[in-house]
Amino acid sequence: MAPPLEWGVIGFCLILILGLAGYRYGQGEWVPVLVSDQPEDLATYCLSVLNALEAKQAAVTLSDVLAACPEPIIVTNDPEAILVSTPDAELYGFSEIEVELNPLTLTVME
């Protein structure tokens, strides 16, 4: 290739890479959204919010888990953990999630 053409290709690639990086890192933080009250949507929303809290290593309370997992998902408090259970494991995709508080860990049981 001729030198001007090579520099043109290199310049184009650099502009493309910088543009993609700006697009990726210019977006705000991803926030889960509850789409509908269908069992699979409720389960996906619940798991997404709990995973986001675990990734942030946030201090989780019972009210956080109650907000993340709407009814008919059942949330019960235990001294060492919070237990999230579903009425039908096949419909929701999981039977229980154990949310251990110190340190924050999730255990999903299918």
Side-chain angles (χ1 to χ4, degrees):
M1 275 199 248
L5 184 59
E6 289 174 359
W7 284 110
V9 170
I10 290 171
F12 174 76
C13 291
L14 285 174
I15 290 171
L16 182 66
I17 290 169
L18 291 174
L20 290 173
Y23 174 75
R24 165 64 178 99
Y25 294 106
Q27 294 178 346
E29 184 178 343
W30 175 76
V31 178
V33 176
L34 182 58
V35 179
S36 73
D37 61 351
Q38 296 298 314
E40 60 273 0
D41 291 334
L42 292 172
T44 301
Y45 178 76
C46 178
L47 284 169
S48 297
V49 172
L50 292 177
N51 282 331
L53 291 172
E54 182 184 31
K56 291 180 184 177
Q57 288 296 311
V60 176
T61 63
L62 179 62
S63 61
D64 294 332
V65 178
L66 284 168
C69 304
E71 289 186 4
I73 297 175
I74 304 156
V75 178
T76 54
N77 197 6
D78 192 271
E80 296 177 11
I82 298 171
L83 187 65
V84 178
S85 56
T86 59
D88 185 353
E90 284 188 29
L91 214 59
Y92 287 83
F94 66 90
S95 61
E96 293 179 343
I97 303 172
E98 185 177 273
V99 182
E100 295 179 32
L101 302 177
N102 290 320
L104 179 60
T105 54
L106 300 177
T107 306
V108 180
M109 293 158 246
E110 296 183 32

